[in-house]
Amino acid sequence: MTPAQVTLVQESFAKVAPISEQAAIIFYDRLFEVAPTVKAMFPADMTEQRRKLMATLVAVVNGLSNLEAVLPAASALAKRHASYGAKPAHYPVVGAALLWTLEKGLGDAWTSDVADAWTAAYGTLSGYMISEAYGTIEAAE
């Protein structure tokens, strides 16, 4: 990720933060719509899960300027996700639901540059998390 992309992610997320509760609802609704089988990995009451999602996004987005500081938490999160039954194939689906949610939340502020920045951020983190949870990306496929 370039410094400009980090700035775009952080600035765009700041616009979503005020509607974080609604954004989390939209995200999980979209995720369960496109990947209904993953719903079984989540609790019936999603209130706490939605809060955890947004708290994690805040930490990651704020940490993008110093990615090395975020990586230990990302590694632990990836391993927890694997223990819940998450597979490497779930990561692109989650990423697509996240980008879709951001697009809906940002409206006209969702530009191609913002989309590219978020795609780069998610790709960097998800690739790292997959390698941490499952070994090399090639071994996970």
mmCIF file of all heavy atoms in Angstrom, residues 99-125:
data_model
loop_
_atom_site.group_PDB
_atom_site.id
_atom_site.type_symbol
_atom_site.label_atom_id
_atom_site.label_comp_id
_atom_site.label_asym_id
_atom_site.label_seq_id
_atom_site.Cartn_x
_atom_site.Cartn_y
_atom_site.Cartn_z
ATOM 1 N N LEU A 99 -16.254 -4.360 0.815
ATOM 2 C CA LEU A 99 -16.178 -3.315 -0.209
ATOM 3 C C LEU A 99 -17.566 -2.861 -0.642
ATOM 4 O O LEU A 99 -17.810 -1.670 -0.849
ATOM 5 C CB LEU A 99 -15.367 -3.799 -1.408
ATOM 6 C CG LEU A 99 -13.881 -4.094 -1.128
ATOM 7 C CD1 LEU A 99 -13.209 -4.628 -2.387
ATOM 8 C CD2 LEU A 99 -13.157 -2.886 -0.596
ATOM 9 N N TRP A 100 -18.486 -3.786 -0.772
ATOM 10 C CA TRP A 100 -19.864 -3.463 -1.139
ATOM 11 C C TRP A 100 -20.493 -2.556 -0.077
ATOM 12 O O TRP A 100 -21.162 -1.565 -0.398
ATOM 13 C CB TRP A 100 -20.660 -4.759 -1.291
ATOM 14 C CG TRP A 100 -22.049 -4.602 -1.802
ATOM 15 C CD1 TRP A 100 -22.451 -4.598 -3.113
ATOM 16 C CD2 TRP A 100 -23.244 -4.454 -1.015
ATOM 17 N NE1 TRP A 100 -23.817 -4.445 -3.170
ATOM 18 C CE2 TRP A 100 -24.322 -4.359 -1.908
ATOM 19 C CE3 TRP A 100 -23.487 -4.394 0.346
ATOM 20 C CZ2 TRP A 100 -25.627 -4.202 -1.480
ATOM 21 C CZ3 TRP A 100 -24.790 -4.231 0.778
ATOM 22 C CH2 TRP A 100 -25.848 -4.139 -0.134
ATOM 23 N N THR A 101 -20.260 -2.894 1.190
ATOM 24 C CA THR A 101 -20.789 -2.096 2.303
ATOM 25 C C THR A 101 -20.216 -0.685 2.282
ATOM 26 O O THR A 101 -20.945 0.292 2.456
ATOM 27 C CB THR A 101 -20.473 -2.781 3.642
ATOM 28 O OG1 THR A 101 -21.064 -4.088 3.650
ATOM 29 C CG2 THR A 101 -20.987 -1.980 4.825
ATOM 30 N N LEU A 102 -18.914 -0.591 2.088
ATOM 31 C CA LEU A 102 -18.267 0.725 2.040
ATOM 32 C C LEU A 102 -18.801 1.556 0.875
ATOM 33 O O LEU A 102 -19.048 2.753 1.018
ATOM 34 C CB LEU A 102 -16.755 0.566 1.940
ATOM 35 C CG LEU A 102 -16.093 0.030 3.211
ATOM 36 C CD1 LEU A 102 -14.688 -0.454 2.906
ATOM 37 C CD2 LEU A 102 -16.090 1.090 4.304
ATOM 38 N N GLU A 103 -18.997 0.905 -0.256
ATOM 39 C CA GLU A 103 -19.548 1.607 -1.419
ATOM 40 C C GLU A 103 -20.926 2.169 -1.099
ATOM 41 O O GLU A 103 -21.237 3.322 -1.418
ATOM 42 C CB GLU A 103 -19.602 0.676 -2.621
ATOM 43 C CG GLU A 103 -20.144 1.327 -3.865
ATOM 44 C CD GLU A 103 -20.182 0.410 -5.081
ATOM 45 O OE1 GLU A 103 -19.848 -0.782 -4.953
ATOM 46 O OE2 GLU A 103 -20.550 0.906 -6.153
ATOM 47 N N LYS A 104 -21.753 1.356 -0.450
ATOM 48 C CA LYS A 104 -23.103 1.811 -0.096
ATOM 49 C C LYS A 104 -23.033 2.941 0.924
ATOM 50 O O LYS A 104 -23.767 3.921 0.829
ATOM 51 C CB LYS A 104 -23.954 0.666 0.460
ATOM 52 C CG LYS A 104 -24.185 -0.466 -0.516
ATOM 53 C CD LYS A 104 -24.905 0.027 -1.742
ATOM 54 C CE LYS A 104 -24.964 -1.050 -2.799
ATOM 55 N NZ LYS A 104 -25.042 -0.541 -4.145
ATOM 56 N N GLY A 105 -22.157 2.796 1.919
ATOM 57 C CA GLY A 105 -22.056 3.801 2.971
ATOM 58 C C GLY A 105 -21.457 5.115 2.515
ATOM 59 O O GLY A 105 -21.836 6.181 3.000
ATOM 60 N N LEU A 106 -20.535 5.052 1.567
ATOM 61 C CA LEU A 106 -19.844 6.265 1.125
ATOM 62 C C LEU A 106 -20.548 6.972 -0.031
ATOM 63 O O LEU A 106 -20.312 8.151 -0.267
ATOM 64 C CB LEU A 106 -18.401 5.938 0.730
ATOM 65 C CG LEU A 106 -17.483 5.597 1.898
ATOM 66 C CD1 LEU A 106 -16.171 5.019 1.398
ATOM 67 C CD2 LEU A 106 -17.246 6.822 2.769
ATOM 68 N N GLY A 107 -21.374 6.250 -0.753
ATOM 69 C CA GLY A 107 -22.092 6.882 -1.863
ATOM 70 C C GLY A 107 -21.140 7.493 -2.870
ATOM 71 O O GLY A 107 -20.220 6.834 -3.358
ATOM 72 N N ASP A 108 -21.312 8.785 -3.154
ATOM 73 C CA ASP A 108 -20.489 9.475 -4.160
ATOM 74 C C ASP A 108 -19.027 9.578 -3.752
ATOM 75 O O ASP A 108 -18.161 9.814 -4.596
ATOM 76 C CB ASP A 108 -21.031 10.883 -4.424
ATOM 77 C CG ASP A 108 -22.370 10.855 -5.154
ATOM 78 O OD1 ASP A 108 -22.709 9.800 -5.744
ATOM 79 O OD2 ASP A 108 -23.075 11.882 -5.128
ATOM 80 N N ALA A 109 -18.726 9.419 -2.470
ATOM 81 C CA ALA A 109 -17.338 9.484 -2.006
ATOM 82 C C ALA A 109 -16.576 8.178 -2.313
ATOM 83 O O ALA A 109 -15.366 8.115 -2.119
ATOM 84 C CB ALA A 109 -17.285 9.780 -0.505
ATOM 85 N N TRP A 110 -17.299 7.165 -2.795
ATOM 86 C CA TRP A 110 -16.681 5.894 -3.191
ATOM 87 C C TRP A 110 -16.175 6.058 -4.624
ATOM 88 O O TRP A 110 -16.898 5.851 -5.587
ATOM 89 C CB TRP A 110 -17.662 4.740 -3.097
ATOM 90 C CG TRP A 110 -17.086 3.400 -3.429
ATOM 91 C CD1 TRP A 110 -17.262 2.707 -4.590
ATOM 92 C CD2 TRP A 110 -16.245 2.587 -2.615
ATOM 93 N NE1 TRP A 110 -16.590 1.513 -4.547
ATOM 94 C CE2 TRP A 110 -15.946 1.405 -3.340
ATOM 95 C CE3 TRP A 110 -15.704 2.733 -1.347
ATOM 96 C CZ2 TRP A 110 -15.150 0.387 -2.833
ATOM 97 C CZ3 TRP A 110 -14.913 1.712 -0.837
ATOM 98 C CH2 TRP A 110 -14.640 0.557 -1.573
ATOM 99 N N THR A 111 -14.932 6.454 -4.747
ATOM 100 C CA THR A 111 -14.321 6.679 -6.060
ATOM 101 C C THR A 111 -13.469 5.473 -6.436
ATOM 102 O O THR A 111 -13.226 4.587 -5.603
ATOM 103 C CB THR A 111 -13.428 7.929 -6.019
ATOM 104 O OG1 THR A 111 -12.334 7.671 -5.117
ATOM 105 C CG2 THR A 111 -14.205 9.163 -5.576
ATOM 106 N N SER A 112 -12.994 5.450 -7.650
ATOM 107 C CA SER A 112 -12.125 4.341 -8.064
ATOM 108 C C SER A 112 -10.838 4.326 -7.245
ATOM 109 O O SER A 112 -10.323 3.257 -6.917
ATOM 110 C CB SER A 112 -11.829 4.396 -9.564
ATOM 111 O OG SER A 112 -11.163 5.592 -9.891
ATOM 112 N N ASP A 113 -10.322 5.492 -6.883
ATOM 113 C CA ASP A 113 -9.111 5.542 -6.056
ATOM 114 C C ASP A 113 -9.377 4.995 -4.653
ATOM 115 O O ASP A 113 -8.543 4.276 -4.094
ATOM 116 C CB ASP A 113 -8.573 6.981 -5.951
ATOM 117 C CG ASP A 113 -7.920 7.453 -7.241
ATOM 118 O OD1 ASP A 113 -7.575 6.609 -8.100
ATOM 119 O OD2 ASP A 113 -7.759 8.678 -7.393
ATOM 120 N N VAL A 114 -10.527 5.329 -4.090
ATOM 121 C CA VAL A 114 -10.888 4.808 -2.764
ATOM 122 C C VAL A 114 -11.081 3.291 -2.851
ATOM 123 O O VAL A 114 -10.599 2.547 -1.986
ATOM 124 C CB VAL A 114 -12.146 5.515 -2.213
ATOM 125 C CG1 VAL A 114 -12.655 4.831 -0.944
ATOM 126 C CG2 VAL A 114 -11.849 6.987 -1.942
ATOM 127 N N ALA A 115 -11.751 2.838 -3.884
ATOM 128 C CA ALA A 115 -11.950 1.394 -4.077
ATOM 129 C C ALA A 115 -10.612 0.678 -4.202
ATOM 130 O O ALA A 115 -10.403 -0.376 -3.586
ATOM 131 C CB ALA A 115 -12.818 1.139 -5.307
ATOM 132 N N ASP A 116 -9.700 1.238 -4.982
ATOM 133 C CA ASP A 116 -8.373 0.626 -5.139
ATOM 134 C C ASP A 116 -7.618 0.595 -3.814
ATOM 135 O O ASP A 116 -6.937 -0.388 -3.499
ATOM 136 C CB ASP A 116 -7.548 1.392 -6.179
ATOM 137 C CG ASP A 116 -8.067 1.209 -7.600
ATOM 138 O OD1 ASP A 116 -8.886 0.297 -7.836
ATOM 139 O OD2 ASP A 116 -7.642 1.992 -8.473
ATOM 140 N N ALA A 117 -7.736 1.659 -3.025
ATOM 141 C CA ALA A 117 -7.046 1.723 -1.737
ATOM 142 C C ALA A 117 -7.586 0.668 -0.776
ATOM 143 O O ALA A 117 -6.817 -0.038 -0.110
ATOM 144 C CB ALA A 117 -7.175 3.121 -1.138
ATOM 145 N N TRP A 118 -8.901 0.551 -0.710
ATOM 146 C CA TRP A 118 -9.499 -0.460 0.169
ATOM 147 C C TRP A 118 -9.177 -1.875 -0.316
ATOM 148 O O TRP A 118 -8.943 -2.772 0.488
ATOM 149 C CB TRP A 118 -11.016 -0.255 0.270
ATOM 150 C CG TRP A 118 -11.369 0.710 1.349
ATOM 151 C CD1 TRP A 118 -11.652 2.044 1.201
ATOM 152 C CD2 TRP A 118 -11.457 0.438 2.744
ATOM 153 N NE1 TRP A 118 -11.916 2.600 2.415
ATOM 154 C CE2 TRP A 118 -11.815 1.650 3.384
ATOM 155 C CE3 TRP A 118 -11.283 -0.706 3.515
ATOM 156 C CZ2 TRP A 118 -11.991 1.737 4.765
ATOM 157 C CZ3 TRP A 118 -11.464 -0.618 4.887
ATOM 158 C CH2 TRP A 118 -11.808 0.588 5.505
ATOM 159 N N THR A 119 -9.172 -2.071 -1.618
ATOM 160 C CA THR A 119 -8.819 -3.380 -2.173
ATOM 161 C C THR A 119 -7.385 -3.738 -1.798
ATOM 162 O O THR A 119 -7.101 -4.879 -1.406
ATOM 163 C CB THR A 119 -9.012 -3.382 -3.701
ATOM 164 O OG1 THR A 119 -10.392 -3.110 -3.986
ATOM 165 C CG2 THR A 119 -8.627 -4.713 -4.315
ATOM 166 N N ALA A 120 -6.490 -2.777 -1.890
ATOM 167 C CA ALA A 120 -5.091 -3.012 -1.515
ATOM 168 C C ALA A 120 -4.975 -3.310 -0.021
ATOM 169 O O ALA A 120 -4.251 -4.232 0.384
ATOM 170 C CB ALA A 120 -4.232 -1.807 -1.887
ATOM 171 N N ALA A 121 -5.685 -2.546 0.799
ATOM 172 C CA ALA A 121 -5.628 -2.755 2.250
ATOM 173 C C ALA A 121 -6.155 -4.145 2.618
ATOM 174 O O ALA A 121 -5.519 -4.885 3.375
ATOM 175 C CB ALA A 121 -6.433 -1.678 2.971
ATOM 176 N N TYR A 122 -7.310 -4.486 2.073
ATOM 177 C CA TYR A 122 -7.887 -5.787 2.394
ATOM 178 C C TYR A 122 -7.010 -6.917 1.857
ATOM 179 O O TYR A 122 -6.795 -7.918 2.533
ATOM 180 C CB TYR A 122 -9.319 -5.920 1.851
ATOM 181 C CG TYR A 122 -9.953 -7.201 2.337
ATOM 182 C CD1 TYR A 122 -10.458 -7.286 3.625
ATOM 183 C CD2 TYR A 122 -9.979 -8.339 1.539
ATOM 184 C CE1 TYR A 122 -10.993 -8.471 4.105
ATOM 185 C CE2 TYR A 122 -10.513 -9.523 2.007
ATOM 186 C CZ TYR A 122 -11.017 -9.592 3.284
ATOM 187 O OH TYR A 122 -11.533 -10.776 3.757
ATOM 188 N N GLY A 123 -6.488 -6.755 0.662
ATOM 189 C CA GLY A 123 -5.623 -7.780 0.082
ATOM 190 C C GLY A 123 -4.369 -8.006 0.907
ATOM 191 O O GLY A 123 -3.951 -9.144 1.131
ATOM 192 N N THR A 124 -3.772 -6.932 1.368
ATOM 193 C CA THR A 124 -2.572 -7.037 2.199
ATOM 194 C C THR A 124 -2.880 -7.785 3.488
ATOM 195 O O THR A 124 -2.184 -8.733 3.857
ATOM 196 C CB THR A 124 -2.023 -5.626 2.520
ATOM 197 O OG1 THR A 124 -1.648 -4.999 1.298
ATOM 198 C CG2 THR A 124 -0.832 -5.696 3.455
ATOM 199 N N LEU A 125 -3.936 -7.345 4.172
ATOM 200 C CA LEU A 125 -4.260 -7.960 5.458
ATOM 201 C C LEU A 125 -4.772 -9.380 5.311
ATOM 202 O O LEU A 125 -4.378 -10.260 6.083
ATOM 203 C CB LEU A 125 -5.313 -7.116 6.177
ATOM 204 C CG LEU A 125 -4.925 -6.436 7.462
ATOM 205 C CD1 LEU A 125 -3.645 -6.797 8.095
ATOM 206 C CD2 LEU A 125 -5.269 -5.032 7.543
#
